[in-house]
Amino acid sequence: MTLIPGDGVGPEVADATCRVIDALDTGITWESHDAGVPAIEAHGTPMPEHTIDAIKATGVALKGPVTTPVGKGFRSVNVALRQELDLYASVRPCRIYPGTPTRWDGVDIVVVRENTEDLYEGIEFEMGSDELNKLRGYLKYMHGFAIPSDAGVSVKPISVTATTDIVDFAFDYARTYGRRKVTLGHKANIMKFSDGVWLQTGEALADHYRQIDFEAIQVDELAMWLAWYPGELDVIVLPNLYGDIISDLCAGLIGGLGMAPGMNIGKQYAVFEPTHGSAPDIAGQGVVNPVAMILSAMLMLRHLGRDDSAARLERGVARVLAEGRVRTGDLRPTGKPATTAEMADAIIEALDVG
Ligand code: NAD
C-alpha cells in the first residue's frame, strides 16, 4: 500500500496508524513515499513523480497532511494531487463516538465536497500583474465591471459535469450506507451563474433519487443549523470552498480536527487522509491525536472490502474513547494527556477485546 507520511505531524500520525493497522494482521505492507517539505529538500518538488506513480500503481494511498505556505511559494500539493488523480469527491464522515468530549450528542454527518473546481481551480490573477490589468480592461470594456487596481482576482468556475458527478456520488453514498437525507448547500441567490449551475443541476438530479429526502439551503443558513440542531443533518453535499469550511465546522462538532477522518475518491484512485493539516504548532512533540488518521485508515479498509477489519478497528477506537482513560490533550483528558504513541497502544490493546 502506498503511504505518504507528509510533513509536520504527518509522520507521527502515520507511524501510529501503521502500527495499529499492522496489529490487525490484514497482510497490508507499506511502501512509503515523500511529499511536502521532505520532498522539496530531497527532490526539489513537493509532489515528486514517483509519489504520484506509486498511487497510480496501487490505486489507493494513505496520506498524512502536507504544509501549504500561505500566499506565495508552491501551490497546494493537496489541490494539485486531487486534480492530477481526478479525486473529484472528498468525503468527511463526522460522527460523535460516545465518550468524546463535545458540546453535542448524536451527530452523524457526512460532508461530501466537490474537489476539483470552484475557487480552488487555481485560476488566479495577481494584483498589479499584466494579466490582471488586461482582464480588468476587458471586463470594463465588455461588461462595464470596474475591478479596483489594488485588487487580486480568483475565478470561480462551477460546471454541470462536475456538479453532476458529485451530486450523483452523494446520493449513491446515501443509498449505499442507508442514509435518509441529502442536503445541498449553495449561495445561488448571490452567485447566480456559478452556484446557480450547482443548485439547478443538483435539484434536477434529486428527482432521480426520490427514495432519499432532499433539501437545498443557503450555505449561511446551513452553518446556522449546524450550530443549532446538528442532529438534523445527514449527508451534506457542497462545492469545494464551502465544503472545506463546513467540514472543519463539522469536525468541531465531533471533538475537533483530531477526530475527523477523510477520503478523496476518484473513478480510478482513492487517497485516504485526515481532515486536519500539518499542525506546525505541535509537530515533533509526540502529542498529536492520531485518531483522525487511524479512522481514515478504517475508511480505507472499508473501501478495500475489508469490512471485518474496518469494523474491528472502529470498535477498538470507540472503546478507547468510551473508556476515556487514554486521551491526547485535544480531547480534554482529566489526568495527564496521553502521547500519540500511547493513544495508538491503547487502540491496539482494544482491538483484542472483541
Ligand atoms: P491544522 O489542521 O494543521 O491545525 C489547526 C489547529 O488544530 C492547530 O492548533 C493544531 O495543533 C490542531 N490540530 C490539528 N490536528 C490535530 C490533531 N490531530 N491532534 C491535535 N490537534 C490537532 O490547520 P492549519 O494550522 O490551518 O494548517 C497547517 C498547514 O497544514 C497549512 O500549511 C495547511 O495548508 C496545511 N493543511 C494540509 C491539509 C492536508 O494535507 N490535507 C489539510 C489542511 C491543512
Side-chain angles (χ1 to χ4, degrees), residues 86-321:
D86 195 18
L87 302 171
Y88 68 96
S90 164
V91 184
R92 293 176 170 175
C94 295
R95 175 179 167 200
I96 291 180
Y97 289 89
T100 313
T102 60
R103 289 171 189 273
W104 299 102
D105 291 322
V107 174
D108 185 5
I109 293 169
V110 180
V111 179
V112 176
R113 164 186 171 192
E114 201 289 322
N115 231 357
T116 63
E117 53 179 26
D118 189 357
L119 284 162
Y120 282 61
E121 177 114 15
I123 308 174
E124 305 230 70
F125 296 88
E126 192 175 357
M127 180 180 71
S129 64
D130 287 349
E131 292 78 11
L132 181 50
N133 284 334
K134 277 186 211 146
L135 180 68
R136 286 174 56 239
Y138 173 80
L139 290 173
K140 179 82 184 149
Y141 176 70
M142 292 299 287
H143 305 284
F145 294 133
I147 297 178
S149 59
D150 58 353
V153 170
S154 303
V155 177
K156 172 172 172 155
I158 296 212
S159 68
V160 172
T161 306
T163 306
T164 302
D165 281 349
I166 197 70
V167 174
D168 268 338
F169 181 97
F171 275 107
D172 277 344
Y173 186 98
R175 197 162 47 189
T176 305
Y177 292 100
R179 297 278 175 159
R180 68 194 150 80
K181 181 171 74 170
V182 170
T183 300
L184 177 142
H186 67 90
K187 199 70 190 165
N189 52 327
I190 304 294
M191 282 155 283
K192 295 185 176 23
F193 302 133
S194 49
D195 284 30
V197 165
W198 170 263
L199 175 61
Q200 284 152 21
T201 309
E203 282 181 334
L205 282 169
D207 266 356
H208 302 292
Y209 298 93
R210 296 253 168 112
Q211 66 281 34
I212 295 163
D213 290 347
F214 174 77
E215 64 186 356
I217 59 177
Q218 289 178 27
V219 69
D220 43 344
E221 190 185 341
L222 174 63
M224 188 271 297
W225 281 114
L226 281 166
W228 199 3
Y229 286 115
E232 302 282 306
L233 278 308
D234 192 344
V235 175
I236 303 174
V237 63
L238 293 162
N240 212 336
L241 177 63
Y242 309 150
D244 194 11
I245 298 165
I246 294 290
S247 56
D248 271 30
L249 192 165
C250 290
L253 297 174
I254 62 157
L257 285 167
M259 294 299 302
M263 53 186 170
N264 296 295
I265 306 283
K267 294 194 168 122
Q268 283 179 282
Y269 310 111
V271 175
F272 295 79
E273 62 178 345
T275 297
H276 66 78
S278 55
D281 53 334
I282 54 169
Q285 299 171 26
V287 298
V288 60
N289 182 355
V291 166
M293 180 88 167
I294 291 170
L295 289 176
S296 302
M298 184 274 290
L299 298 174
M300 182 187 81
L301 290 171
R302 217 190 261 163
H303 176 83
L304 294 170
R306 309 284 191 93
D307 288 354
D308 289 349
S309 298
R312 192 172 154 220
L313 176 53
E314 191 174 25
R315 280 198 304 274
V317 171
R319 185 164 291 118
V320 170
L321 293 167

